[in-house]
């Protein structure tokens, strides 16, 4: 088992007080906290090797370039991509998805179909809707059941030779449900569709193996996995990245520019126009090392224990309903109490030092399905404790008494 107290000491913010109470941070689905090693690595970059990359012959520029490219290779190995040029640095999941939808604008035709799921974050709905509007393609939606699971028979029935893209999240941010993405990818490929997986909520909990999954694209954010904000990765299979046009034009993504014609750089630079978030990209590698040193098996064991305890304790509260009761779940509990608005519970427990997210979690179709305005979402990380969950349960009980 992990020595949680030792791990907690790596995260300076976890010993802060909020509203005069010890911070209980259960908003990890929105963004994770950062260990000291990640915070220090940002300062070290600026203190020791700050320079623009891929441009200068001078030593600092080469040191920064090397560190950036070493981080790319580290992430390549982390997700088991075949080539490092299949790993694109982005500013986050949203950017990665938009890069792909922009590329498909020149591929899709009227009558083509794009399949998304009813469990998606707005980031993986709206860009596809915009793409469909632009191209005349049609958006189809995989329905879900009362447990918050996607209905695979309905998915099978949606697929046809018209299906050009299928996209789902690996783990739902609003409910924590883990989707059967291997099955989805296999079935989508059988009709010739490309598959994008939104891995934003998966990468803090597990190590995706993109070759084993055989997905065509896998997008995620660095800030949810102990890395800096404004960082992310889009993995794309080489053949797809070669097929898609560049997303943004500018410096670094070109081979040759004349006023008559521009030719584009090879992968990955074709998709990395302009000066990137150099410090962020390098330090994302530090975060990946940190998580791997803890070990994803250990992370999962701790998070499973937290999920089981939270589920059991919360269900002791009369009138409390958990949304997302399917079998395969990450450490997220989304709930409401009869007759009480989630915002009111969230505001009261915040005064007691407990940070949860309330609202629709950028997943309004899920809230519409359950006919609710939103939920209270507690999302746990490996650095959270059973005692913190007990503190949240007591706080929720207190809030309920005050509001009833
Ligand atoms: N979800 C949450 O509290 P960005 O903002 O680009 O880093 O990630 C967008 C995104 C995409 N897909 C999923 C499944 C997500 O959960 C998120 C971000 C946060 O649930 C902030 S809205």
């Amino acid at each position: 088992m992990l020595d949680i107290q030792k791990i907690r000491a790596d995260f300076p913010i976890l010993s802060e007080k909020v509203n005069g109470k010890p911070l209980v941070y259960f908003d990890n689905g929105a963004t994770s906290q950062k260990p000291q090693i990640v915070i220090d690595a940002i300062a070290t970059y600026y203190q020791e090797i700050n320079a623009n990359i891929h441009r200068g012959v001078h030593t600092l520029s080469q040191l920064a370039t090397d560190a950036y490219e070493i981080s790319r290779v580290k992430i390549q190995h982390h997700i088991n991509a075949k080539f490092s040029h299949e790993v694109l640095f982005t500013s986050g999941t949203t950017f990665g998805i938009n890069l792909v939808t922009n590329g498909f604008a020149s591929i899709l035709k009227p009558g083509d179909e794009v399949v998304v799921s009813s469990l998606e974050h707005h980031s993986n709905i709206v860009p596809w809707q915009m793409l469909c509007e632009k191209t005349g393609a049609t958006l189809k939606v995989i329905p879900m059941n009362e447990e918050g699971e996607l209905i695979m028979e309905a998915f099978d029935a949606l697929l046809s030779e018209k299906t050009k893209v299928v996209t789902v999240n690996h783990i739902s941010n609003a409910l924590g449900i883990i989707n059967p993405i291997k099955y989805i990818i296999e079935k989508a490929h059988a009709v010739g569709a490309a598959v994008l997986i939104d891995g934003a909520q998966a990468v803090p909990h597990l190590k995706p193996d993109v070759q084993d999954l055989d997905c065509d694209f896998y997008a995620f954010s660095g800030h949810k996995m102990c890395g800096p904000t404004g960082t992310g990765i889009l993995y794309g299979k080489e053949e797809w990245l070669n097929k898609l046009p560049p997303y943004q034009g500018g410096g670094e993504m070109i081979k040759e520019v004349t006023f008559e014609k521009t030719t584009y750089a090879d992968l990955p630079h074709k998709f990395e126009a302009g000066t990137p978030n150099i410090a962020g990209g390098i330090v994302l590698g530090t975060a990946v090392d940190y998580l791997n040193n803890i070990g994803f098996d250990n992370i999962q064991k701790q998070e499973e224990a937290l999920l089981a305890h939270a589920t059991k304790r919360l269900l002791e509260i009369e009138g409390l309903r958990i949304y997302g009761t399917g079998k395969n779940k990450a450490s997220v509990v989304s709930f409401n109490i009869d007759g009480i608005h989630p915002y009111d519970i969230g505001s009261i427990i915040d005064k007691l030092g407990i940070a949860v997210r309330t609202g629709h979690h950028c997943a309004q179709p899920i809230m519409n399905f359950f006919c609710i305005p939103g939920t209270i979402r507690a999302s746990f990380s490996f650095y959270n404790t059973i005692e913190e969950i007990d503190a949240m349960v007591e706080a929720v009980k207190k809030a309920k008494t005050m509001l009833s």
Side-chain angles (χ1 to χ4, degrees), residues 29-30 92-94 121 123 173 198 200-201 221 223-224 357 362 377:
T93 310
T94 305
H121 185 280
S123 288
N173 71 313
D198 170 354
Q201 294 292 337
S221 302
H223 68 92
K224 295 187 198 289
R357 184 169 173 187
C362 302
R377 183 190 69 178

Side-chain angles (χ1 to χ4, degrees), residues 27-31 90-98 119-124 168-174 198-202 219-224 229-232 357 360-363 377 379:
D27 197 16
N28 296 287
T31 196
T90 66
S91 61
T93 310
T94 305
F95 188 102
I97 294 169
N98 278 276
L119 282 179
E120 297 314 302
H121 185 280
H122 297 163
S123 288
N124 204 31
V168 291
N169 55 38
H170 197 161
I171 297 181
S172 150
N173 71 313
D198 170 354
Q201 294 292 337
F220 59 97
S221 302
H223 68 92
K224 295 187 198 289
T229 46
T231 64
R357 184 169 173 187
H360 55 60
H361 315 300
C362 302
R377 183 190 69 178
S379 48

Side-chain angles (χ1 to χ4, degrees), residues 33-95:
Q33 295 304 347
K34 320 300 172 201
Q36 190 66 50
I37 196 169
V38 162
I39 299 168
D40 288 346
I42 295 171
T44 305
Y45 166 77
Y46 286 112
Q47 283 160 4
E48 296 179 6
I49 59 167
N50 176 49
N52 213 327
I53 55 170
H54 302 136
R55 286 159 169 82
V57 289
H58 65 81
T59 303
L60 276 189
S61 174
Q62 285 177 8
L63 286 172
T65 302
D66 287 350
Y68 197 70
E69 292 307 322
I70 285 169
S71 179
R72 192 193 304 274
V73 170
K74 204 173 271 179
I75 294 158
Q76 175 207 347
H77 293 147
H78 181 70
I79 62 172
N80 193 30
K82 197 165 175 190
F83 306 111
S84 63
H85 58 253
E86 294 178 320
V87 174
L88 310 181
F89 281 111
T90 66
S91 61
T93 310
T94 305
F95 188 102

Side-chain angles (χ1 to χ4, degrees), residues 171-385:
I171 297 181
S172 150
N173 71 313
L175 306 181
I177 294 290
I178 304 173
N179 287 316
I181 57 168
K182 244 191 129 159
Y183 177 88
I184 290 171
I185 293 164
E186 215 177 289
K187 287 284 185 165
H189 281 170
V191 295
V195 184
L196 180 144
I197 301 297
D198 170 354
Q201 294 292 337
V203 287
H205 308 293
L206 55 86
K207 211 170 147 149
D209 181 332
V210 293
Q211 287 192 76
D212 178 56
L213 289 170
D214 196 28
C215 53
D216 301 290
F217 303 97
Y218 193 101
F220 59 97
S221 302
H223 68 92
K224 295 187 198 289
M225 55 185 309
C226 296
T229 46
T231 64
I233 296 293
L234 175 69
Y235 158 80
K237 272 188 194 160
E238 183 187 57
E239 57 186 289
W240 271 111
L241 293 181
N242 279 329
K243 215 179 286 178
L244 297 189
Y247 182 33
Q248 295 184 328
E252 193 52 27
M253 50 74 74
I254 56 91
K255 230 175 222 155
E256 218 174 308
V257 179
T258 66
F259 283 111
E260 287 68 44
K261 188 177 167 54
T262 292
T263 50
Y264 304 127
D266 293 331
L267 298 175
H269 307 295
K270 173 181 151 189
F271 289 103
E272 294 182 352
T275 301
N277 179 355
I278 304 169
I282 294 170
V283 177
L284 181 53
T286 311
V288 163
D289 281 343
Y290 178 80
L291 291 174
N292 281 316
N293 283 338
I294 291 176
F296 278 87
D297 285 350
N298 291 326
I299 288 174
Q300 276 161 23
K301 263 184 224 139
Q302 170 68 3
E303 292 179 349
E304 274 165 22
L306 294 170
L307 175 66
H309 188 73
T311 306
K312 180 172 150 284
R313 289 286 337 263
L314 282 169
L315 288 174
E316 287 167 9
I317 301 174
E318 219 183 290
L320 186 144
R321 173 173 175 190
I322 291 178
Y323 299 88
T325 48
K327 264 204 312 288
N328 280 332
K329 269 191 76 171
S331 50
V332 174
V333 189
S334 223
F335 62 95
N336 271 334
I337 297 179
D338 272 352
I340 304 180
H341 198 283
Y343 176 85
D344 295 335
I345 301 265
S347 304
I348 291 177
I349 70 173
D350 172 57
K351 297 283 172 289
L352 301 168
I354 294 157
V356 290
R357 184 169 173 187
T358 60
H360 55 60
H361 315 300
C362 302
Q364 281 180 344
I366 299 180
M367 305 304 136
N368 294 343
F369 175 85
F370 288 114
C371 301
I372 50 175
T375 70
I376 302 147
R377 183 190 69 178
S379 48
F380 312 119
S381 178
F382 56 90
Y383 47 66
N384 290 129
T385 66

